[in-house]
Amino acid sequence: MARFQAAAESFVERLLRNGTTYDTSLTEDLGSGDDPSKRVFKVIFAKPSKMVPVPPATAYIRIFVHFESTKYKVNGYTLEGKKQVFSIDFPFNEAWIDGIIARKMKLRDSL
């Protein structure tokens, strides 16, 4: 399992190599399934501050990691609430996370 996580961590570092204004947390998604050669990880994005240490909303992406012959590889990633799987070569855009959080905040304010 550590090798799956190392592959996911490496991918997240490459994905966010230009930096991000968010704090991130990587965890294994326990609903990964029964296939021992595949794992799903969640990267949670949040913006805590001194004034608001617990952010009112977070967003996540899911990362798909599989074992192929002798290597652990990332297949792609999806955004929270979306079914489209992005290739590992598709550039990440932080505005996507901003949009997800903005929608959650708008929904929260409407309740």
Side-chain angles (χ1 to χ4, degrees):
M1 182 172 109
R3 291 184 182 173
F4 281 104
Q5 183 153 352
E9 288 171 353
S10 175
F11 176 72
V12 170
E13 287 173 13
R14 285 193 317 273
L15 197 66
L16 304 175
R17 69 179 160 258
N18 295 329
T20 180
T21 59
Y22 288 93
D23 286 347
T24 59
S25 171
L26 177 75
T27 58
E28 184 173 357
D29 189 344
L30 297 179
S32 290
D34 296 332
D35 189 341
S37 68
K38 297 179 182 177
R39 295 282 188 278
V40 178
F41 290 86
K42 263 185 165 176
V43 180
I44 300 172
F45 292 80
K47 279 189 183 177
S49 68
K50 289 181 181 179
M51 297 298 290
V52 185
V54 178
T58 62
Y60 67 84
I61 62 172
R62 279 198 167 93
I63 299 172
F64 305 101
V65 182
H66 72 283
F67 179 73
E68 186 177 288
S69 44
T70 60
K71 294 183 179 179
Y72 293 83
K73 296 182 177 182
V74 174
N75 278 353
Y77 63 98
T78 62
L79 298 170
E80 178 178 351
K82 304 292 182 186
K83 292 184 180 183
Q84 178 183 5
V85 177
F86 293 98
S87 122
I88 61 171
D89 299 322
F90 195 84
F92 177 75
N93 187 341
E94 190 172 312
W96 299 335
I97 301 299
D98 294 338
I100 292 168
I101 290 177
R103 283 191 297 274
K104 286 182 176 183
M105 296 299 293
K106 187 175 180 180
L107 177 63
R108 185 192 76 162
D109 292 343
S110 71
L111 297 177

